[in-house]
Amino acid sequence: MPLDDESQSVHTFEQPVDNVEEMPQALINFRHANPDKETDILDIDLIDKDDIQACAEYVREIYEYLLQSEGKYMLGSDFLSNQIDFDAEDRTLLVDWISRCHTRFNLANESFFHCIAIFDSYLSRVVVPKASNRLVGICCLFIAAKYEQSYIPSLRHFVEALTQVDPEFLVNCKCEGNRSGPCYRCSREAIIDTEESILHTLDFQLAMPTILTFLRRYARISEMKNRDRYIAFYISELSCLTTSIFKFKPSEIAAGCIAMSRRLTRKPTWDETLEKYSGYTESDTKKVMAEISTIMKKYACNPKARYIRRKYSQEDRFYGVSLMIETVVTQALTLNTKEAK
């Protein structure tokens, strides 16, 4: 029983631009940055020339292509406008629940961000009933895991994630404990059918650049320490909870997350090396940082982001960066309250 019976075609993907006048400024800046020009800027890729996995010989061409193609998959911040009974708040809870499943399955970060990109693309085209949102979410994670992972959990584990009752989730299936077994929406058949619906709806176009695609690159360029990098990762996952951030491109969001992490750790927000390798200037990051600041104030202490916050509160894995951000946000809100009085 695929979900595309109620589908509405809302967004169409644009083709990558070749006309220089239509190119994003970041791509123009990126192309004009001459890697062979003698400057005091460190050649990051030269350091990795002996690492075969770093693709140092053509990594610039890869990211030039990604900067050019990311606009093809842009949805905008209003991509939920076609939904009937599924709004931005419902999506926030669902994305946080997906983060829980992602952590439970011990999947790579790429799978989470790719899942969200697939999920949002599908929502922009198909009306999803509220009762089926977890089914669609887990299917998107299933697809993303197949795309990104060398090993994925069995289908049985994804079915178990659907049937497990979450007392704080907005919709739990009523089939839990039924003698006749789980209902269709919590069955392996539903996952397979919905997976097929998603893939056909998106026309198998799954190679969308994500925030993490650029975030890893910019963190490498910035030579971030582990704690600083995890701050940027945490901010980027918090950003996925809201639709407002998607008025920016993934590369812009990634740049904003790096800039915010550097600011929180008392470093210069941006520098010439980041500008050279990203194509973005410090002024380009300010609007994104303003949006990220709003998101942090909204979700850093919000129970709707409990799974993402809990994950990044682990000292042994993530240096407890969510607790640090929570302290910073609490202090900022307290200061603003005092100033208002």
Side-chain angles (χ1 to χ4, degrees):
M1 183 178 174
L3 297 174
D4 55 359
D5 296 338
E6 301 178 86
S7 62
Q8 295 181 5
S9 180
V10 178
H11 293 274
T12 56
F13 292 149
E14 300 175 358
Q15 295 300 319
V17 292
D18 292 320
N19 189 333
V20 175
E21 294 181 356
E22 299 176 1
M23 285 183 185
Q25 187 61 45
L27 179 56
I28 296 174
N29 295 344
F30 184 86
R31 285 186 170 180
H32 287 175
N34 186 353
D36 299 323
K37 184 179 178 181
E38 292 187 8
T39 65
D40 294 331
I41 299 175
L42 182 67
D43 191 339
I44 296 295
D45 299 321
L46 185 62
I47 298 173
D48 296 326
K49 66 177 182 178
D50 295 326
D51 184 354
I52 191 171
Q53 293 183 327
C55 307
E57 297 87 349
Y58 45 86
V59 67
R60 283 186 58 85
E61 286 76 10
I62 291 173
Y63 277 90
E64 180 178 335
Y65 169 77
L66 292 171
L67 280 169
Q68 184 174 352
S69 64
E70 64 177 341
K72 172 183 176 182
Y73 301 96
M74 281 285 290
L75 299 176
S77 57
D78 62 341
F79 65 89
L80 290 180
S81 59
N82 64 317
Q83 297 298 319
I84 298 173
D85 60 352
F86 185 78
D87 57 22
E89 292 299 315
D90 296 333
R91 180 187 172 279
T92 296
L93 289 170
L94 186 65
V95 170
D96 193 49
W97 176 77
I98 289 173
S99 175
R100 177 196 182 193
C101 297
H102 165 267
T103 304
R104 177 184 172 189
F105 295 152
N106 198 27
L107 300 176
N109 286 337
E110 284 81 0
S111 295
F112 172 77
F113 285 93
H114 204 165
C115 167
I116 301 306
I118 295 170
F119 180 66
D120 289 342
S121 295
Y122 186 68
L123 285 181
S124 72
R125 296 177 169 210
V126 174
V127 175
V128 177
K130 181 176 286 191
S132 299
N133 55 21
R134 286 214 300 185
L135 170 61
V136 174
I138 206 69
C139 284
C140 291
L141 186 60
F142 188 44
I143 294 169
K146 287 183 177 181
Y147 193 97
E148 300 286 357
Q149 307 283 152
S150 56
Y151 168 79
I152 65 169
S154 68
L155 184 57
R156 173 176 58 85
H157 291 95
F158 289 89
V159 173
E160 289 175 355
L162 284 176
T163 55
Q164 185 177 15
V165 172
D166 184 342
E168 296 189 31
F169 197 69
L170 68 165
V171 174
N172 284 296
C173 189
K174 304 297 190 298
C175 70
E176 178 72 13
N178 285 355
R179 292 183 179 180
S180 58
C183 67
Y184 171 78
R185 282 196 301 269
C186 295
S187 66
R188 66 187 308 276
E189 291 78 13
I191 292 179
I192 294 171
D193 289 345
T194 307
E195 178 189 22
E196 181 181 357
S197 172
I198 293 170
L199 292 173
H200 282 289
T201 300
L202 300 185
D203 196 25
F204 293 85
Q205 295 188 47
L206 303 178
M208 57 276 285
T210 67
I211 299 171
L212 191 65
T213 304
F214 299 97
L215 192 63
R216 286 198 186 279
R217 172 69 169 168
Y218 298 163
R220 173 72 182 88
I221 293 165
S222 188
E223 296 186 295
M224 283 182 152
K225 295 180 179 179
N226 285 341
R227 187 200 62 169
D228 301 352
R229 188 171 70 252
Y230 288 137
I231 291 173
F233 283 11
Y234 175 57
I235 294 171
S236 66
E237 289 197 28
L238 281 184
S239 298
C240 289
L241 293 171
T242 178
T243 59
S244 61
I245 196 68
F246 294 111
K247 60 189 172 188
F248 302 106
K249 296 178 181 178
S251 60
E252 292 177 303
I253 300 171
C257 291
I258 294 294
M260 181 62 76
S261 175
R262 288 168 64 94
R263 173 177 289 183
L264 289 170
T265 53
R266 302 183 184 279
K267 296 180 178 64
T269 304
W270 211 244
D271 59 28
E272 291 183 352
T273 305
L274 280 164
E275 183 175 336
K276 169 187 173 181
Y277 284 95
S278 70
Y280 291 112
T281 63
E282 183 174 358
S283 61
D284 293 331
T285 67
K286 289 183 178 179
K287 288 184 179 180
V288 190
M289 289 178 67
E291 185 65 36
I292 288 173
S293 179
T294 302
I295 292 170
M296 288 169 58
K297 291 176 183 177
K298 184 175 182 180
Y299 291 113
C301 307
N302 194 322
K304 291 182 179 179
R306 63 193 180 110
Y307 292 126
I308 293 177
R309 288 167 54 212
R310 184 185 303 169
K311 178 173 74 172
Y312 281 94
S313 68
Q314 300 175 62
E315 288 284 350
D316 55 336
R317 290 188 62 189
F318 301 110
Y319 295 82
V321 296
S322 66
L323 301 177
M324 188 201 82
I325 298 295
E326 185 174 339
T327 301
V328 171
V329 170
T330 302
Q331 290 174 348
L333 292 175
T334 302
L335 182 61
N336 290 341
T337 302
K338 289 181 179 179
E339 290 178 351
K341 292 180 179 179

